[in-house]
Amino acid sequence: DIRFTDHEIGHTIRNLEEWMSPSKIKTDAAYAADDVHLYPEPRGIIMIFGAWNYPLQLTMIPLIGAIAAGCCAVIKPSEIVPNSTKVLVKYFREYMDCDCYRILQGGPEIAMKLMEQRWDHVFFTGSTAIGKKVAAKAAANLISTTLELGGKSPTIVDETANVDVAARRICWGKFMNTGQVCIAPDYVIVHKSKKEEFIASVKKYITEFYGDDPSQTPDYARIVNDRNFERVKSILEGGKVIFGGETNAEDRYIAPTILDDVTFESNVMDEEIFGPIMPILEYEDFPALLDTLRRREKPLVTYFFSTNEQSIDLVKRELSSGTLSVNDTITFVCIPQLPFGGVGHSGQGRYHGKASFEAFTNYKSVHCRNAGMEFANDVRYPPFKNSKLKDFLYTFLLYNSDDEFSGFKRTLYSSLKYSLIAGLVGLLSYQLNLLGYLPLSSLDGLDTIQKVRDFISSTVNTNVD
């Protein structure tokens, strides 16, 4: 929790100057002489709701992004972990500028009162159910939101996977912090031919990580409170316990547990587990499995263990999720360059690294045009009656975009476009010279441009048929 937050601070400091710089926008030829860029400005005053399972990073990392973007902020840590909140409040008020950053304590009633205020942006981390309430409150005042929620993140192990490695990495990700991690593998779907081997490997690594009695090791955590203990304990009835299953209400201990005989219709598949229970399902038909997963709510993460590149590419294309992690669990979240967030019921908006800066930044579109050379704008002004030349120039020069083409076609189009412009100017100059309006000996820069401009103006405002 502390190391992750410290790493985020360092990454932000090293890159902030670059993030803050306006970004030049490539435009069509008609606007090539203009200054067109995106200018980052602070969204304003931010409301940040932290979560209890990682009380420091899930509160402070959004705040790091808000500070980097130049915003003021109010944070409300979770009331479920009062000891952690007490420490956070103490040091926050000691070291932070309280004119710009405030910390408030309280439960759901305080949170809903805070949501009645006119914030410029709200950042919430928590359950989907509470996230819906936050979004509804924010919508009443047209407040933008970032919602970092959760959901049931599936883990697929196909017949080509290294089963032993997969079991080890899945065990680590599933039972970390007793499963109280929003990106923990929620359930595992294993190819039927590999299921027994996978279960044997999972049992082996649970014992290797936590010993014969996990309740005695300091490396295994406890459920956060009595209410969550009872909720997770009730999930044990959702399948056949084939490993673990021991509980101790006084210590809020639930052993690392494997559930078998689970299907997508089982009760354990209804809600996010958020505890140390691993339901294991099996499949035979991979396309049918993908079709089943597509019909479920979009998860925060899809984990896929495979060595088949075609299958990996298929999952990448067919399954929507906040993140796809192939052949590992959890570690993707440690990459600050990789934005993190959900989609649909698992959240909206992204953060971490530059994405945190962007979450609290309004990228103002800026267009600056030179006040001179007004003659170049004549084609856009009325009157337009009987002005075929004006219509042609207006459409061809202002609206035809190089972006309609790519590669060689784009190069050819641009070349033809600019050649035609140059040819028209040259032909016009030559004709004016023949008519005596523009002696070639008098070509002297701006004076020539003004003479061409006068001729065009007198032409396009008359019948050119």
Side-chain angles (χ1 to χ4, degrees):
D1 206 15
I2 295 173
R3 185 176 299 174
F4 192 97
T5 305
D6 182 60
H7 183 58
E8 184 79 8
I9 292 171
H11 178 75
T12 301
I13 290 173
R14 288 190 299 273
N15 293 279
L16 185 55
E17 184 176 355
E18 177 187 342
W19 298 346
M20 293 170 61
S21 301
S23 53
K24 183 76 174 175
I25 300 298
K26 185 181 183 299
T27 66
D28 297 331
Y31 307 98
D34 299 348
D35 178 12
V36 183
H37 62 270
L38 294 178
Y39 183 82
E41 65 179 10
R43 280 188 181 268
I45 301 177
I46 311 299
M47 181 67 234
I48 298 172
F49 294 98
W52 55 262
N53 53 327
Y54 288 93
L56 183 63
Q57 64 163 287
L58 296 181
T59 305
M60 297 305 292
I61 287 182
L63 181 63
I64 292 167
I67 294 172
C71 299
C72 295
V74 174
I75 67 171
K76 194 197 88 62
S78 174
E79 73 282 2
I80 293 177
V81 283
N83 292 331
S84 296
T85 297
K86 188 181 300 183
V87 173
L88 186 58
V89 168
K90 176 181 182 296
Y91 289 110
F92 191 95
R93 290 175 175 168
E94 182 176 345
Y95 291 105
M96 299 297 290
D97 182 352
C98 290
D99 289 335
C100 298
Y101 311 103
R102 297 289 180 89
I103 185 168
L104 298 177
Q105 301 179 73
E109 301 81 9
I110 296 296
M112 290 300 104
K113 284 290 185 182
L114 287 169
M115 282 305 303
E116 294 174 2
Q117 308 306 309
R118 290 291 301 273
W119 307 102
D120 294 297
H121 189 76
V122 171
F123 192 106
F124 170 81
T125 303
S127 69
T128 300
I130 303 301
K132 290 179 180 179
K133 295 180 180 179
V134 171
K137 285 280 190 179
N141 288 316
L142 296 179
I143 301 171
S144 60
T145 59
T146 300
L147 303 176
E148 297 299 336
L149 309 177
K152 297 185 74 64
S153 295
T155 303
I156 307 168
V157 182
D158 78 1
E159 68 275 22
T160 72
N162 184 320
V163 173
D164 192 66
V165 170
R168 192 179 196 212
R169 294 177 182 180
I170 293 169
C171 276
W172 173 71
K174 176 62 179 178
F175 301 115
M176 173 190 296
N177 203 25
T178 327
Q180 298 168 118
V181 184
C182 63
I183 56 174
D186 191 85
Y187 58 98
V188 185
I189 318 159
V190 187
H191 191 272
K192 186 175 182 179
S193 65
K194 300 291 183 178
K195 183 178 177 183
E196 293 306 317
E197 180 185 354
F198 178 78
I199 289 174
S201 292
V202 170
K203 292 178 180 179
K204 178 182 72 172
Y205 285 115
I206 290 175
T207 302
E208 182 178 306
F209 291 168
Y210 306 112
D212 293 327
D213 184 0
S215 67
Q216 301 301 311
T217 176
D219 297 322
Y220 190 72
R222 299 296 186 267
I223 303 300
V224 66
N225 58 20
D226 293 337
R227 183 175 66 85
N228 276 278
F229 172 83
E230 294 299 331
R231 179 190 62 81
V232 176
K233 182 182 176 182
S234 68
I235 296 174
L236 292 172
E237 302 172 1
K240 177 183 177 183
V241 176
I242 59 172
F243 189 86
E246 298 83 13
T247 66
N248 183 335
E250 184 178 349
D251 194 28
R252 297 197 299 272
Y253 167 77
I254 297 178
T257 301
I258 303 173
L259 291 185
D260 199 3
D261 294 342
V262 178
T263 68
F264 282 104
E265 289 71 38
S266 302
N267 292 337
V268 70
M269 299 299 292
D270 291 340
E271 301 290 339
E272 182 179 9
I273 294 172
F274 223 68
I277 299 173
M278 181 189 294
I280 298 179
L281 296 79
E282 64 180 47
Y283 79 94
E284 290 185 90
D285 186 332
F286 192 59
L289 171 62
L290 297 185
D291 187 57
T292 298
L293 292 174
R294 273 196 301 270
R295 292 198 297 268
R296 299 177 66 83
E297 297 293 355
K298 297 177 181 178
L300 191 55
V301 191
T302 295
Y303 293 110
F304 185 38
F305 287 81
S306 175
T307 58
N308 186 318
E309 292 298 331
Q310 289 182 330
S311 296
I312 293 170
D313 189 59
L314 186 63
V315 170
K316 191 187 306 181
R317 294 197 319 267
E318 297 292 329
L319 294 184
S320 178
S321 58
T323 298
L324 169 63
S325 181
V326 179
N327 292 324
D328 205 359
T329 63
I330 307 295
T331 53
F332 71 89
V333 81
C334 301
I335 306 171
Q337 295 83 0
L338 188 65
F340 170 74
V343 57
H345 274 226
S346 59
Q348 60 185 32
R350 308 177 84 77
Y351 76 126
H352 287 183
K354 186 180 181 181
S356 292
F357 175 83
E358 293 173 337
F360 302 107
T361 296
N362 172 50
Y363 283 92
K364 183 191 297 179
S365 298
V366 178
H367 174 218
C368 299
R369 170 161 281 190
N370 193 299
M373 298 184 68
E374 179 60 12
F375 74 89
N377 296 317
D378 282 357
V379 294
R380 74 187 187 189
Y381 299 128
F384 301 110
K385 185 178 180 181
N386 295 324
S387 182
K388 292 184 178 180
L389 177 60
K390 233 181 198 187
D391 287 345
F392 170 75
L393 292 173
Y394 196 57
T395 302
F396 188 77
L397 299 182
L398 269 65
Y399 280 116
N400 278 12
S401 172
D402 297 351
D403 292 334
E404 296 175 10
F405 306 100
S406 61
F408 175 74
K409 288 184 178 181
R410 178 172 181 168
T411 302
L412 180 61
Y413 173 82
S414 298
S415 300
L416 290 173
K417 181 174 178 177
Y418 300 138
S419 296
L420 180 57
I421 294 171
L424 286 172
V425 172
L427 180 61
L428 185 59
S429 300
Y430 179 70
Q431 291 296 326
L432 291 175
N433 175 62
L434 289 181
L435 294 172
Y437 290 107
L438 186 65
L440 292 178
S441 59
S442 69
L443 296 181
D444 58 352
L446 291 177
D447 181 60
T448 301
I449 293 175
Q450 183 60 39
K451 290 179 180 179
V452 174
R453 179 260 183 204
D454 292 340
F455 180 79
I456 292 175
S457 296
S458 64
T459 301
V460 297
N461 286 318
T462 61
N463 191 324
V464 295
D465 286 344

